[in-house]
Amino acid sequence: MIACPCALVISIPLGFFGGIGAASRKGVLFKGSNYLEGFRNIHTMVFDKTGTLTEGVFKVTEVKPLNGFSEEEILRFAVEAESHSNHPIAKSIMDAYGGSVDESRIQSYEEIPAHGVRAIVEGREILAGNDRILHMGGYEIEHDTCHLQGTVVHIVIDRKYAGYILLADKVRQEALETIEGLRAAGVEKMVMLTGDGKEAAEIVSKELGMDLFYAELLPQDKIAIVREFEEKMDRKRDKIGFVGDGINDAPVLMASDIGIAMGGLGSDAAIEAADVVLMKDRLTGLLDAMHISRRTRRIVFGNITMALTIKGFFIIFGAVGLATMWEAVFADVGVAIIAVLNSTRILKT
């Protein structure tokens, strides 16, 4: 009876269930106890930029027409090209335009992942996107915007560079607090990955004190960088976490040890691919998750140590004839109850 493992069998899974429950109260959804256990071992935390470290709410700061086009023309064509997109940049351009879109003018629309959009508007081909869209297959359009600081949307009309729209994004209010908190918790390296231009990425990286940043990335580039970090780590102990929100982040969320998605504003694909979801869309949920992960482990190992110590003590007493049935009942049922009650402490985190 003393050797019955009830206390261990009950308290260990109950401890992790309690940790998952405590995290859910804080708006952090763990999809399994293995992710709760592994969260405390994150060595490198990798962040997407737009919508994760920044609010993802862009504001048009400049509309620059070139090569004979007017400001009204490039803004109107940009709005018509972006009218079917749900990307934050597209919505910001629509807000800046302010007018209505004549859908009958748009003959075709194509969204090119990690590049931008291509549309045919009244027989004219419109390209709207980042620098990569100007150099993709079949296109090689010259421009000079490397001096700009911010997110640039290039506009091309019938393969002629028409100008650009410059947008600015705002860093999340809690981003710096979260980065500093993770460092204090022992996360050794902070990395930012983004498909945006180098200038915009560098501004956010410096403001938040990131260790490294990589810009102008495609989804497969993000996976390659995460794999590279994994090869340099102790795979038995260290973990790599990735925080993202967009549909382009889904592949790298699955490739990282612990994928973390922004639940409120994140895409369905990102939430489905993630192992942890921040339901309140606040980065400080990462600090809650780290604290609960470590507290859960302490309580679970406390239960294991207590159960083995008490059972070992009474087994010795029983072997020499000093333990009666009452001591045996306590060593079995009593220790199991104590372990259960100890596990409930996690819920008060």
Side-chain angles (χ1 to χ4, degrees):
M1 183 177 288
I2 294 172
C4 180
C6 291
L8 297 175
V9 173
I10 294 174
S11 65
I12 296 174
L14 188 63
F16 284 106
F17 293 158
I20 292 174
S24 66
R25 290 183 176 183
K26 294 287 186 179
V28 181
L29 176 62
F30 282 93
K31 294 185 179 180
S33 57
N34 53 328
Y35 305 119
L36 177 64
E37 167 70 9
F39 206 94
R40 66 184 183 84
N41 290 327
I42 290 180
H43 172 276
T44 300
M45 188 70 83
V46 183
F47 296 86
D48 174 50
K49 182 179 83 72
T50 305
T52 302
L53 290 175
T54 64
E55 294 180 353
V57 180
F58 291 87
K59 183 178 180 180
V60 174
T61 58
E62 182 183 1
V63 179
K64 182 66 174 179
L66 297 169
N67 298 325
F69 291 93
S70 68
E71 181 176 321
E72 192 276 335
E73 274 185 309
I74 66 169
L75 188 58
R76 176 169 57 82
F77 277 115
V79 167
E80 290 174 331
E82 299 273 16
S83 61
H84 291 92
S85 174
N86 59 0
H87 193 279
I89 290 178
K91 294 179 180 178
S92 300
I93 294 175
M94 296 281 289
D95 291 340
Y97 181 65
S100 59
V101 178
D102 185 0
E103 296 286 345
S104 63
R105 287 169 49 87
I106 305 171
Q107 296 168 322
S108 69
Y109 168 84
E110 177 188 3
E111 191 159 342
I112 307 170
H115 288 71
V117 297
R118 176 167 50 195
I120 303 298
V121 180
E122 288 194 333
R124 307 185 74 177
E125 182 189 48
I126 311 298
L127 298 181
N130 55 30
D131 183 76
R132 283 191 295 270
I133 203 169
L134 305 180
H135 307 288
M136 62 182 183
Y139 296 85
E140 194 60 46
I141 300 167
E142 296 297 328
H143 68 290
D144 181 19
T145 55
C146 59
H147 62 285
L148 299 173
Q149 294 187 344
T151 299
V152 182
V153 177
H154 301 282
I155 308 299
V156 177
I157 301 175
D158 287 335
R159 302 204 172 201
K160 185 177 181 180
Y161 192 71
Y164 61 82
I165 299 173
L166 186 64
L167 302 98
D169 195 5
K170 184 179 179 182
V171 173
R172 284 181 179 269
Q173 186 176 0
E174 76 276 11
L176 182 59
E177 174 192 349
T178 302
I179 299 298
E180 292 175 346
L182 289 173
R183 289 192 191 278
V187 179
E188 296 188 18
K189 189 174 291 184
M190 304 291 171
V191 182
M192 184 182 76
L193 307 182
T194 179
D196 291 347
K198 183 178 179 181
E199 294 77 15
E202 187 174 8
I203 293 172
V204 176
S205 178
K206 286 183 177 179
E207 184 174 347
L208 297 177
M210 308 297 287
D211 297 305
L212 293 169
F213 76 90
Y214 298 83
E216 300 178 354
L217 300 176
L218 296 171
Q220 58 267 31
D221 298 328
K222 294 182 180 181
I223 295 177
I225 291 171
V226 168
R227 295 296 190 202
E228 183 179 337
F229 281 121
E230 288 177 345
E231 292 174 0
K232 297 177 181 178
M233 295 190 307
D234 180 358
R235 301 301 294 144
K236 294 182 179 179
R237 180 176 60 89
D238 296 333
K239 304 289 184 183
I240 183 167
F242 179 85
V243 190
D245 70 311
I247 189 171
N248 290 336
D249 296 325
V252 69
L253 283 168
M254 298 186 70
S256 56
D257 293 321
I258 301 178
I260 307 156
M262 308 295 282
L265 298 177
S267 69
D268 292 342
I271 294 171
E272 181 69 24
D275 308 309
V276 183
V277 182
L278 305 181
M279 299 305 297
K280 294 183 179 180
D281 266 338
R282 289 187 59 83
L283 286 174
T284 48
L286 296 173
L287 304 180
D288 294 328
M290 183 68 73
H291 173 69
I292 292 170
S293 174
R294 293 181 173 179
R295 180 172 169 82
T296 300
R297 180 179 171 82
R298 287 197 300 269
I299 290 177
V300 167
F301 269 77
N303 280 341
I304 293 172
T305 303
M306 176 197 66
L308 292 178
T309 300
I310 293 176
K311 286 180 178 292
F313 181 78
F314 279 107
I315 284 175
I316 293 172
F317 268 53
V320 298
L322 296 179
T324 66
M325 182 58 72
W326 286 110
E327 283 79 6
V329 170
F330 171 76
D332 178 24
V333 180
V335 172
I337 293 174
I338 293 173
V340 169
L341 293 175
N342 190 42
S343 297
T344 62
R345 291 171 50 216
I346 304 173
L347 296 173
K348 297 181 180 179
T349 298

